[in-house]
Amino acid sequence: MPSALPVVPVLFFTTTTQALATLGILALAAVAPRAASELGISAALIGYQVSLCFFGGMHTALLGGGFVRRLGAARTSQLALWLIAAGAALSALGTVATLAAGALVMGWGYGITNPAASHLLSRAPTTGNMNLIFSIKQCGVPIGAMAAGMMMPTLTVLAGWRAALMACAILAFAFSLSLQPRRSAWDDDRDRAARLFVNPLASLRLIWANKVLRWLAFCSFLYSAVQL
């Protein structure tokens, strides 16, 4: 039986991982005018970079469960940060091709943050406050967005936009190392025999088979459509 995990450390690491992942994918958007000027392209093209990020995330989000079962949620969180760091470093090379490739790689990392975080938080003894705990974790998204808006322009003025992207890569990689001492205890429920790549449609079929989840998914889709 896997042991219960401490609430505060798990919440801190999952929230910070979410924040750094969000910082990575929004970093270029915060300095788009400067980057576009140096590359000789329109700053409006930043929309394609963000789209590539979420395109990559859409795919790995469906595979996140397999990664969590095989590698463990802590290792999957580290993997997410490594992909964010790699994508930011690739983007820092400063060509249109590397910006596109970096966006896709960061998206792969972003897509597996939530499956890993949800698994870790589900093992913390927070049954009575689960909504609050998950809401705090999700605050990592606006925290990361604010960090991008505050940090990236300043670093760009001081050292250039490529150096600013490298700073994001270093931050993500450095934080991933702080998870290593906890990895053994937090991943004691991983199954080394589990398939790493699972059927990406299996989770969708599970949701569709449950009436409550099906209606929640439908309402979520309608809400997204209204926002567009």
Side-chain angles (χ1 to χ4, degrees):
M1 182 70 180
S3 58
L5 301 182
V7 178
V8 174
V10 168
L11 187 57
F12 169 75
F13 278 100
T14 53
T15 304
T16 305
T17 297
Q18 184 72 64
L20 290 173
T22 303
L23 168 63
I25 66 170
L26 296 181
L28 186 62
V31 295
R34 176 68 65 86
S37 176
E38 290 190 17
L39 293 173
I41 59 176
S42 170
L45 292 177
I46 188 62
Y48 291 104
Q49 186 264 351
V50 176
S51 296
L52 278 173
C53 285
F54 286 102
F55 178 76
M58 178 179 67
H59 291 90
T60 52
L62 294 173
L63 301 171
F67 282 81
V68 169
R69 284 191 293 272
R70 174 71 175 272
L71 305 176
R75 178 66 85 202
T76 301
S77 295
Q78 287 181 303
L79 177 60
L81 291 168
W82 293 337
L83 288 168
I84 292 292
L90 193 58
S91 299
L93 294 177
T95 68
V96 173
T98 57
L99 288 174
L104 189 60
V105 172
M106 284 191 285
W108 292 340
Y110 193 82
I112 57 177
T113 54
N114 274 322
S118 297
H119 185 83
L120 288 172
L121 290 171
S122 70
R123 292 182 56 192
T126 57
T127 305
N129 300 299
M130 189 65 74
N131 291 341
L132 174 62
I133 294 299
F134 273 78
S135 296
I136 293 174
K137 189 279 298 181
Q138 201 60 23
C139 286
V141 174
I143 291 172
M146 288 189 295
M150 295 173 63
M151 184 179 84
M152 293 300 294
T154 302
L155 289 177
T156 298
V157 170
L158 293 175
W161 65 274
R162 293 177 179 85
L165 287 172
M166 277 304 303
C168 292
I170 292 170
L171 274 175
F173 182 74
F175 188 74
S176 74
L177 298 181
S178 68
L179 268 167
Q180 187 58 35
R182 296 164 175 80
R183 198 255 166 158
S184 179
W186 289 10
D187 286 347
D188 61 351
D189 62 339
R190 75 187 183 103
D191 181 4
R192 292 174 174 83
R195 293 178 58 188
L196 188 60
F197 295 99
V198 297
N199 183 353
L201 300 180
S203 56
L204 296 181
R205 284 201 297 264
L206 179 64
I207 291 173
W208 192 254
N210 185 291
K211 184 177 180 180
V212 174
L213 293 178
R214 186 165 65 244
W215 274 105
L216 286 174
F218 179 69
C219 292
S220 178
F221 172 78
L222 286 180
Y223 176 78
S224 299
V226 170
Q227 294 301 306
L228 293 174

